[in-house]
Amino acid sequence: MEPTISLDAQALKALIKESVREVMREEWFKFFDLLTPHVDNEEQAAIEASFSPTDHPDTDFVDITN
């Protein structure tokens, strides 16, 4: 006979909740990937050649990481 694992209702609910969050996060990333246009190497090189970080001083940006 296989061993069984007993979970109380709260632990089971937490496990299901975290599993659903993981799946939703994966699906959102897939969705965002579908919305992001494809850029080939030639087009990316043209973008990088026409724009430079030195053209945009730090004062043009707001730090929202905190």
Side-chain angles (χ1 to χ4, degrees), residues 39-51:
V39 177
D40 61 21
N41 292 340
E42 185 179 324
E43 186 176 7
Q44 183 64 37
I47 292 169
E48 290 174 3
S50 63
F51 294 102

Side-chain angles (χ1 to χ4, degrees), residues 22-55:
E22 288 176 17
V23 171
M24 291 301 296
R25 189 175 307 120
E26 290 171 10
E27 293 304 313
W28 274 113
F29 286 143
K30 288 178 188 176
F31 179 67
F32 293 149
D33 191 43
L34 286 173
L35 293 178
T36 305
H38 174 74
V39 177
D40 61 21
N41 292 340
E42 185 179 324
E43 186 176 7
Q44 183 64 37
I47 292 169
E48 290 174 3
S50 63
F51 294 102
S52 171
T54 58
D55 295 338

